Amino acid sequence: MKLPDFEAWAVFASVVEHRSFSGAAVALGVSKATVSKAITRLEERLGTSLFHRTSRRLTLTDSGQQLAEHAQRILDEGQSAEEAAFESASAPSGLVRLAAPLTFGVRHLAPLLAEFMAANPQITVELTLSDARVDIVAEGIDVALRIAELPDSSLRARRLGPVAIHVVGAPSYFDRAGRPLHPADLARHACFVYTNMAMPGTWRFRKAGGEEAAVRVDGPLRTDNGEAMLPMLLAGQGIACLPSFLVDADLAAGRLEAVLADWVAGSVGLHLVTPPGSRRPVRVEALIDFLTERLRSICVREA
């Protein structure tokens, strides 16, 4: 049996990542001609085109899109094997791509990274902060933090702990509009809608005795970032359903008030997610171990 052309697969993965032959050539330290020959060799072997090539753009064909994830895994496995071989002789080094929700990343993750990078000066972290769901395989992300209940997928996920959710508003709002006593009461209130979820505007609750409730809400603000709701909340213009790390300080100071305390508003956790595959580079494992330890303690404090 003829062995796979591992070099060509690795070159293909690099072209996908850098979106150009020249970018891949620079990253790999080879000539553009070498990259082009490797792609041609792989296309001839597979009997299909991997890219649409024009003078201005390079895009994946349908076959290329289907095979890109396999190519990335082949490259990752090779890099991981080499790094594992050198692990005992050198400290972890290289680039780790990390993605996290915007506000959580600024408030909790960034301070931890300062500690991690001081202890691992040879590791470089590329941090992407966004509340949008990132395709970690397509974007080449090594580690992602997600605050949600995750659907089944091929990704590897580790639940670090629960994240408490509160229904909150300013005392001035509740004094004017009344305090909801049951989730159904929220339908008549001005509620701020977080849009970055499967069913925006539907809030789900459960009670210790097993009772469940779902209510459709609406109001003057719809946004994909929870922190953007805080000015209007504090101004007494409505109600929001937000995680504890966003509102704990305002709750403690009395600027916000939590309602429906007998109900659990949703069920979410903080998860650490990585691409599929059994091996990870040593530098990625080092960051995963560090974040797992530190972020679990944050979940315990805030749950």
Side-chain angles (χ1 to χ4, degrees):
M1 181 183 72
K2 189 175 181 182
L3 288 173
D5 190 340
F6 293 111
E7 181 184 41
W9 279 103
V11 170
F12 173 45
S14 186
V15 174
V16 172
E17 178 183 357
H18 296 282
R19 296 179 174 83
S20 74
F21 282 26
S22 57
V26 171
L28 296 171
V30 299
S31 67
K32 185 177 177 181
T34 298
V35 171
S36 180
K37 289 177 182 177
I39 297 300
T40 300
R41 197 167 67 239
L42 186 59
E43 289 177 328
E44 290 176 350
R45 176 164 181 148
L46 297 175
T48 186
S49 296
L50 299 173
F51 295 100
H52 296 298
R53 301 171 177 84
T54 69
S55 58
R56 294 186 177 183
R57 294 188 64 193
L58 182 72
T59 59
L60 287 166
T61 63
D62 289 343
S63 296
Q65 290 177 341
Q66 294 172 10
L67 294 170
E69 183 177 332
H70 295 285
Q72 188 61 53
R73 283 204 298 267
I74 290 171
L75 179 58
D76 289 342
E77 291 288 339
Q79 290 175 332
S80 297
E82 289 188 352
E83 290 182 10
F86 292 115
E87 179 178 3
S88 61
S90 61
S93 63
L95 175 65
V96 180
R97 294 184 175 91
L98 174 63
L102 176 58
T103 303
F104 184 86
V106 171
R107 294 193 178 190
H108 288 305
L109 183 58
L112 293 180
L113 287 180
E115 179 185 350
F116 174 78
M117 297 175 74
N120 297 272
Q122 297 184 53
I123 295 179
T124 301
V125 176
E126 181 180 297
L127 177 60
T128 299
L129 296 178
S130 173
D131 287 340
R133 178 67 62 90
V134 177
D135 185 335
I136 67 174
V137 174
E139 297 296 327
I141 301 296
D142 297 301
V143 184
L145 295 173
R146 289 182 177 167
I147 299 174
E149 282 305 304
L150 299 183
D152 292 336
S153 74
S154 62
L155 302 178
R156 300 170 66 183
R158 179 183 303 177
R159 184 181 172 94
L160 303 182
V163 176
I165 304 294
H166 302 291
V167 178
V168 298
S172 61
Y173 173 84
F174 292 126
D175 291 343
R176 182 178 72 253
R179 288 164 175 78
L181 302 177
H182 187 278
D185 297 339
L186 293 169
R188 63 178 178 82
H189 282 271
C191 297
F192 305 151
V193 176
Y194 180 65
T195 59
N196 190 31
M197 56 190 306
M199 297 180 66
T202 297
W203 292 1
R204 300 184 182 278
F205 299 84
R206 70 177 188 277
K207 214 171 184 179
E211 183 181 355
E212 296 185 352
V215 58
R216 289 288 298 172
V217 300
D218 203 1
L221 178 65
R222 299 170 65 89
T223 178
D224 63 356
N225 179 260
E227 191 168 22
M229 299 178 184
L230 291 178
M232 289 184 65
L233 272 177
L234 295 168
Q237 297 180 32
I239 299 175
C241 195
L242 291 173
S244 56
F245 65 84
L246 274 176
V247 297
D248 274 352
D250 290 315
L251 288 172
R255 292 185 292 268
L256 292 178
E257 177 184 337
V259 295
L260 300 174
D262 293 339
W263 294 83
V264 176
S267 175
V268 300
L270 174 62
H271 297 82
L272 190 151
V273 182
T274 58
S278 58
R279 297 185 63 89
R280 290 185 287 239
V282 177
R283 62 184 181 274
V284 175
E285 289 286 1
L287 181 58
I288 288 173
D289 290 344
F290 175 85
L291 292 179
T292 297
E293 177 185 354
R294 298 296 196 277
L295 292 176
R296 274 183 175 154
S297 65
I298 289 175
C299 288
V300 170
R301 290 201 308 269
E302 301 205 347

